Amino acid sequence: MDYLQYVDGNTFLHRLDPRTKFFFLVAMSLLTSVIKSAVALLFLLVFFLILWSTCGIMSEMVQLLKKLKVLLLFIFLLWLIMGIFEEPPVELLAPFFKGQVGPVVICFDWYDFYKGFVYALRIYLMIASFYTVLITTNFSEIILGLCKWHIPYSIAFAVGLVFQIIPIVIGELNAIMEAQSSRGLEIEQCNWATKVKNYIIFSFPLFFRVIGKAQAISLAMYYYKLDFSRKRSSYKTIKASKRDLVFTLLTFAVIACTIVLRIYFYVPV
Amino acid sequence: MSYSIKNITYQYSESGPRVLDDVSLTIEEGTVTAVVGPSGSGKTTLVQILSGVIPNLTAGGVLSGEMHLDRDGEPVLISVVSQNPENQLFGYGVEDAIAFGLENMGIPDEEISDSIEYVLDLLNLQHLRKRSVQALSGGQRQAVCIASVLAMKPQILIMDEPVSSLDPNGKMMIRNVLNQMKADNTTVLIADNNLDWSCDIVDRVVGLNEGKVLFEGTRDEFFRSFELQRTLGVMIPQEVEIYRALTEKDIPVSMFYQYRDAVDQLDGLFTDHPGSVKNSEIPVMKEPVVTTHQLNKVFKDGFQGLRDINVSIPEGSVTAILGQNGSGKTTLVKHLNGLLKPTTGDVRFRGQSIEGKSVAQVSRSVILVFQHPEHMLFEQTVLNELTFCARMQGLPYTDEDVMKILETYGLEDEKETFPLNLSMGKKHLLTILSVLLSHAEVVILDEPTLGMDLKIRSELEDIVKKLKDAGKTVIIISHEIPLVFRMVDYALILNNSVKLFEGTKEELSLRDDIFDSIDINLPPVVRLSRRYGFDHISYTVSDFAEQAAAVLDRQTREGGDA
């Protein structure tokens, strides 16, 4: 189980200063939360696709898409259904159906699909930008980067620890599910209600495993004399390079292009 | 120079029992001391007191006694290496992990750099310095863990069951690391009831039982006291068991710890060294119950876990799957119960493919007991846990059946206990016992001896025998080679995802080439019984001693006749 785990590599993105990647993450999160133009979002998607393929993380991003497919489908359908009760702001194509059902006017047309697509794509890009940074920045770099931004070591360490622990917890859950199904608990050929019930059952041993891990980690912190009240030294340092400058400029260029596309190709949603 | 504790008594609460009772011991500087004792003897509590976890991190306990763990009035630094390095290593890369403790101590950068170089050189780990911790094998992780605490320059290094989850290669690596540390005059304390891997390195032994010190002395004194070893349930190398059994038969040998030393002595006793046994009959196995056909598994990341594996597990047999970590053992058994789907090829139970069946459906025929009992236990009581498989499979059982199992394995007083409160060995035993009430004809046990002391191990052997007597097929993954040879009829050996060998134990006993290629040694009793041309290959120490006595008797008679 390698979901949410750092992907080892030595690509352009891997070698960037973590602060550059944090800036990229913040910029992309803001951009995708304000941009609602399909053309601009598609431009961003193309940029991401090029970035992922150059940095060798395309398969992880496809895996992410598979994991998110239910959520994205739900968002798409939600906005599609909500769009049925609105008329399109621009008359491009004739509606598939338009009429009054009781007191409600219904207009089922291309705009409903457009709206669903835009919202699903925004969510995917938002999560993907976070995931891109997460899987190309190991937790030691995350801690170093946050400390360089003058975030207290205790908070930076806690953030880094979370990213170290999440894959372990997912791995534990998987192992518990495998162990229980091996003993005869049906988790494959059962309905949704049973699946939910099973997850509640799995949460019990998972809880104890996580508590056990947390205890072991706190013991280890003690053995390694970790004391947040004491000043500590830092063996490794991070330094921005020309590479970071290039990537930051590229990020600005992408932001500019996205905004221009948003201005010229915008259908209100 | 030595460190000591005197009259240490500890209770986890005021009204609780004494987990340690008037414990006094001395740790000589520059020596390796082993603290041994069965589950619940107080080893872990002692480690926590020595390292300061008690009372600094644990509140509510009652601690009394004297601790002399200082040098010139300054308290010494004591570091601990736990049994699971994945819970102890902080930092993504090897260098990050080693630097972590030094950074916490506020050591300047240049000194950190020097310390990292020193420990990497000392433990021969330079080749790992740029690797990520995640990408290391179990043995390498444990070695990096040792490096990370050694870098802090502790005066005493404590290792808590450091090899319990390692394969033979991992154990070998930690032995080498320990030898380097010994040469460097590091003071080491190992809390482990298994002296099988460390007996030639250890200088002194402290035996704990029910919180009391039963023994404190040199290694040789400890190994000469057979009764003490049995009382403490210490796992010892088969070579020492051989010495013990021969001595009990009044065969004149002096103490040996390693195969080479055993050969040196026994060569002088046995006049013939033919190198092969007189009777090497190969038993005929029954028809296969589980088979795999051209089984291939390629994981998502492109790693090939299995390559063209064809195996036929004989019905009613006890079959071992052997190999180093990463050889494909667990991948193979997860195919046998349907947890993993083959990339190509298939798995058949009694000739029928299991394809399309859920794991729960396959578990009615093939059941897999996992390595870590915490993944399996989730009922509120031992009683419910025991009947879990039967309930899931809708099988009838009576209260008498359940009580009989509990009584046989000494769990009747704990039937209402919360399973996760049992000792590690008992937790593992419980998960294995729960399959006794299942319908499955094939039972797979993945590393069943993990966390078990000698007593529970002998109960495990009894369970396997009972399953076999009931006509069931048992498949065992284990790194404990002497135990495997004692229990099994049939064996598979995997190496780098490929099957190297499949056949009976008797055939395997003759294949030194296979064992050489996987870097594992045949059990000493097998090698020695072959070397001295006994009537048949010995798989147990008692059989070896019987045959040795018979051969020596024959030699004496022939010598007298001549």
Side-chain angles (χ1 to χ4, degrees):
Chain A
M1 181 63 175
D2 48 10
Y3 186 58
L4 277 176
Q5 224 163 30
Y6 174 73
V7 178
D8 210 353
N10 194 26
T11 68
F12 182 77
L13 209 49
H14 285 88
R15 280 180 284 161
L16 286 177
D17 184 321
R19 289 169 294 177
T20 309
K21 287 187 262 187
F22 295 162
F23 167 72
F24 170 78
L25 170 62
V26 172
M28 288 302 142
S29 303
L30 287 174
L31 204 60
T32 47
S33 56
V34 293
I35 298 290
K36 293 178 187 172
S37 154
V39 176
L41 289 171
L42 279 172
F43 167 75
L44 269 184
L45 179 65
V46 170
F47 166 69
F48 271 111
L49 287 173
I50 295 167
L51 190 67
W52 297 336
S53 60
T54 9
C55 296
I57 53 168
M58 189 59 100
S59 62
E60 282 75 19
M61 301 316 291
V62 172
Q63 201 192 345
L64 174 73
L65 184 63
K66 283 181 188 166
K67 295 270 175 201
L68 293 177
K69 67 183 180 216
V70 176
L71 173 74
L72 296 177
L73 187 66
F74 174 77
I75 292 167
F76 176 79
L77 290 175
L78 180 74
W79 288 97
L80 183 136
I81 292 165
M82 284 169 70
I84 288 174
F85 302 102
E86 281 179 63
E87 290 208 20
V90 189
E91 281 285 348
L92 273 182
L93 296 165
F96 310 121
F97 173 81
K98 189 172 182 181
Q100 190 149 358
V101 180
V104 184
V105 176
I106 288 192
C107 181
F108 182 42
D109 57 8
W110 66 272
Y111 178 69
D112 308 328
F113 286 95
Y114 176 82
K115 206 168 176 174
F117 173 73
V118 165
Y119 277 95
L121 184 57
R122 280 177 72 203
I123 295 293
Y124 177 62
L125 288 176
M126 214 178 279
I127 297 172
S129 59
F130 171 73
Y131 200 61
T132 304
V133 172
L134 183 67
I135 64 174
T136 56
T137 317
N138 68 53
F139 50 83
S140 290
E141 292 169 343
I142 291 175
I143 295 172
L144 270 176
L146 291 174
C147 283
K148 281 279 176 185
W149 273 0
H150 300 292
I151 289 170
Y153 183 73
S154 55
I155 296 173
F157 182 77
V159 172
L161 201 57
V162 166
F163 289 114
Q164 186 176 2
I165 288 174
I166 287 174
I168 296 176
V169 173
I170 294 172
E172 287 290 324
L173 177 63
N174 257 3
I176 290 166
M177 286 165 68
E178 285 187 347
Q180 298 308 340
S181 62
S182 298
R183 294 171 88 200
L185 184 69
E186 187 59 81
I187 61 170
E188 293 162 87
Q189 298 178 2
C190 57
N191 58 34
W192 277 99
T194 313
K195 276 192 178 167
V196 171
K197 193 177 137 208
N198 284 342
Y199 272 101
I200 295 167
I201 293 173
F202 298 144
S203 64
F204 180 69
L206 182 65
F207 174 75
F208 283 96
R209 287 292 285 175
V210 171
I211 294 284
K213 292 264 172 204
Q215 276 178 339
I217 287 170
S218 67
L219 275 182
M221 283 159 65
Y222 177 80
Y223 297 148
Y224 286 113
K225 312 283 173 212
L226 182 63
D227 180 352
F228 295 120
S229 64
R230 234 168 56 181
K231 188 169 164 40
R232 65 193 301 280
S233 51
S234 180
Y235 172 61
K236 278 189 181 167
T237 50
I238 45 172
K239 217 168 113 183
S241 65
K242 204 184 273 181
R243 195 183 301 119
D244 294 281
L245 180 67
V246 171
F247 190 74
T248 308
L249 291 175
L250 182 67
T251 307
F252 277 119
V254 169
I255 294 170
C257 289
T258 311
I259 292 170
V260 169
L261 289 169
R262 151 70 179 76
I263 293 166
Y264 287 101
F265 303 95
Y266 180 58
V267 178
V269 288
Chain B
M1 178 76 193
S2 63
Y3 309 101
S4 64
I5 57 171
K6 280 186 184 156
N7 311 113
I8 292 290
T9 297
Y10 185 72
Q11 295 156 268
Y12 278 97
S13 64
E14 274 184 37
S15 56
R18 291 181 170 194
V19 188
L20 290 182
D21 191 359
D22 203 25
V23 169
S24 299
L25 60 94
T26 305
I27 303 166
E28 302 287 344
E29 195 174 49
T31 61
V32 179
T33 305
V35 178
V36 300
S39 291
S41 60
K43 296 192 297 292
T44 303
T45 308
L46 181 63
V47 167
Q48 294 192 336
I49 290 173
L50 289 172
S51 63
V53 169
I54 295 174
N56 294 333
L57 289 189
T58 310
V62 184
L63 175 66
S64 63
E66 291 173 41
M67 312 257 279
H68 301 286
L69 303 171
D70 52 81
R71 186 186 270 173
D72 305 328
E74 285 291 307
V76 295
L77 177 63
I78 300 174
S79 289
V80 180
V81 173
S82 64
Q83 52 183 291
N84 295 314
E86 60 267 30
N87 293 337
Q88 190 167 341
L89 290 172
F90 293 97
Y92 177 74
V94 167
E95 285 185 4
D96 301 325
I98 298 175
F100 183 70
L102 299 166
E103 291 172 326
N104 294 335
M105 293 164 83
I107 307 285
D109 297 357
E110 311 80 55
E111 281 183 42
I112 293 181
S113 187
D114 291 346
S115 295
I116 290 176
E117 291 303 325
Y118 169 72
V119 291
L120 289 175
D121 284 337
L122 177 70
L123 306 183
N124 295 323
L125 300 174
Q126 281 288 1
H127 62 292
L128 300 177
R129 69 179 305 157
K130 295 291 172 200
R131 300 268 301 275
S132 79
V133 168
Q134 235 168 26
L136 304 178
S137 70
Q140 289 170 332
R141 274 188 211 192
Q142 193 60 285
V144 170
C145 203
I146 294 169
S148 67
V149 294
L150 267 189
M152 296 164 72
K153 297 193 173 63
Q155 278 80 30
I156 302 173
L157 174 66
I158 301 178
M159 301 167 92
D160 189 6
E161 296 190 15
V163 300
S164 62
S165 57
L166 302 185
D167 64 2
N169 271 347
K171 282 182 187 166
M172 183 60 76
M173 184 167 189
I174 300 308
R175 270 170 55 92
N176 293 340
V177 163
L178 209 55
N179 269 319
Q180 299 277 11
M181 284 157 50
K182 195 172 172 171
D184 197 50
N185 226 25
T186 311
T187 309
V188 181
L189 188 137
I190 304 170
D192 194 344
N193 211 31
N194 184 355
L195 289 180
D196 181 13
W197 65 280
S198 62
C199 73
D200 54 328
I201 304 168
V202 163
D203 300 300
R204 294 180 61 77
V205 178
V206 175
L208 281 181
N209 196 24
E210 295 176 352
K212 291 190 165 116
V213 174
L214 275 198
F215 173 84
E216 186 181 6
T218 65
R219 171 193 63 175
D220 289 352
E221 285 167 356
F222 177 77
F223 279 116
R224 282 199 186 94
S225 176
F226 303 153
E227 196 47 47
L228 185 70
Q229 292 162 37
R230 289 194 185 101
T231 306
L232 296 175
V234 178
M235 271 160 272
I236 55 175
Q238 198 171 60
E239 287 86 344
V240 179
E241 282 186 62
I242 293 170
Y243 161 76
R244 190 161 76 183
L246 294 179
T247 308
E248 284 172 344
K249 288 203 172 294
D250 295 326
I251 297 172
V253 281
S254 52
M255 174 65 77
F256 48 80
Y257 296 100
Q258 291 190 326
Y259 178 75
R260 199 62 260 161
D261 300 333
V263 167
D264 284 347
Q265 289 203 43
L266 298 180
D267 273 3
L269 280 178
F270 300 110
T271 48
D272 285 343
H273 308 154
S276 62
V277 291
K278 295 186 176 77
N279 178 9
S280 50
E281 211 172 283
I282 308 296
V284 179
M285 304 307 291
K286 283 188 185 172
E287 288 299 300
V289 60
V290 177
T291 55
T292 68
H293 305 265
Q294 293 298 114
L295 197 65
N296 278 286
K297 178 66 180 178
V298 181
F299 289 99
K300 277 182 189 165
D301 60 3
F303 174 73
Q304 181 139 18
L306 296 174
R307 281 174 203 271
D308 296 330
I309 303 290
N310 293 299
V311 298
S312 302
I313 311 284
E315 185 172 7
S317 68
V318 179
T319 296
I321 304 182
L322 306 174
Q324 297 284 0
N325 281 352
S327 58
K329 304 185 298 292
T330 300
T331 306
L332 175 62
V333 295
K334 282 188 173 179
H335 278 86
L336 301 186
N337 84 327
L339 269 175
L340 290 176
K341 311 293 174 209
T343 308
T344 59
D346 74 335
V347 175
R348 295 176 202 165
F349 174 74
R350 295 200 180 283
Q352 297 286 312
S353 174
I354 64 165
E355 195 183 342
K357 290 185 179 174
S358 70
V359 177
Q361 286 168 339
V362 177
S363 76
R364 291 164 192 273
S365 318
V366 181
I367 199 159
L368 167 62
V369 179
F370 271 50
Q371 189 174 355
H372 295 288
E374 287 93 347
H375 290 143
M376 306 195 80
L377 301 171
F378 67 104
E379 290 286 0
Q380 304 292 323
T381 64
V382 165
L383 197 67
N384 285 351
E385 201 64 62
L386 191 64
T387 58
F388 178 83
C389 290
R391 283 183 283 118
M392 287 301 111
Q393 295 178 356
L395 295 172
Y397 59 89
T398 63
D399 290 348
E400 281 145 36
D401 296 335
V402 177
M403 281 314 294
K404 197 176 160 196
I405 294 172
L406 290 173
E407 281 165 16
T408 308
Y409 298 99
L411 288 169
E412 70 273 27
D413 293 337
E414 292 174 294
K415 64 178 182 180
E416 296 301 329
T417 303
F418 182 49
L420 288 168
N421 284 346
L422 296 174
S423 70
M424 180 66 174
K426 280 191 176 175
K427 276 190 256 188
H428 215 150
L429 183 69
L430 180 60
T431 59
I432 296 167
L433 287 175
S434 74
V435 305
L436 292 180
L437 294 171
S438 89
H439 188 263
E441 290 174 58
V442 179
V443 176
I444 305 171
L445 307 175
D446 190 355
E447 289 289 351
T449 54
L450 197 76
M452 289 184 173
D453 59 23
L454 269 189
K455 181 174 176 286
I456 301 180
R457 273 168 193 242
S458 74
E459 286 171 346
L460 169 74
E461 288 187 46
D462 182 60
I463 295 169
V464 171
K465 190 172 175 301
K466 280 193 175 134
L467 287 168
K468 188 185 173 186
D469 291 346
K472 301 205 177 193
T473 306
V474 183
I475 300 172
I476 300 172
I477 294 181
S478 180
H479 293 306
E480 310 239 358
I481 308 301
L483 177 96
V484 162
F485 271 82
R486 242 181 2 244
M487 290 163 73
V488 308
D489 312 296
Y490 200 74
L492 305 173
I493 293 192
L494 299 179
N495 192 33
N496 292 331
S497 316
V498 175
K499 185 182 86 177
L500 281 191
F501 173 87
E502 178 178 359
T504 62
K505 171 172 71 177
E506 288 73 14
E507 288 169 301
L508 183 62
S509 302
L510 305 171
R511 296 293 301 273
D512 299 87
D513 57 324
I514 296 281
F515 278 85
D516 287 345
S517 62
I518 58 168
D519 243 354
I520 294 177
N521 286 326
L522 274 163
V525 284
V526 171
R527 295 159 81 192
L528 292 171
S529 56
R530 270 174 35 196
R531 182 177 178 88
Y532 301 118
F534 287 180
D535 283 341
H536 57 267
I537 292 176
S538 288
Y539 298 107
T540 63
V541 173
S542 57
D543 180 66
F544 178 84
E546 290 289 337
Q547 290 206 75
V551 170
L552 289 173
D553 193 39
R554 198 164 54 226
Q555 273 181 205
T556 314
R557 274 188 279 112
E558 284 169 3
D561 291 346

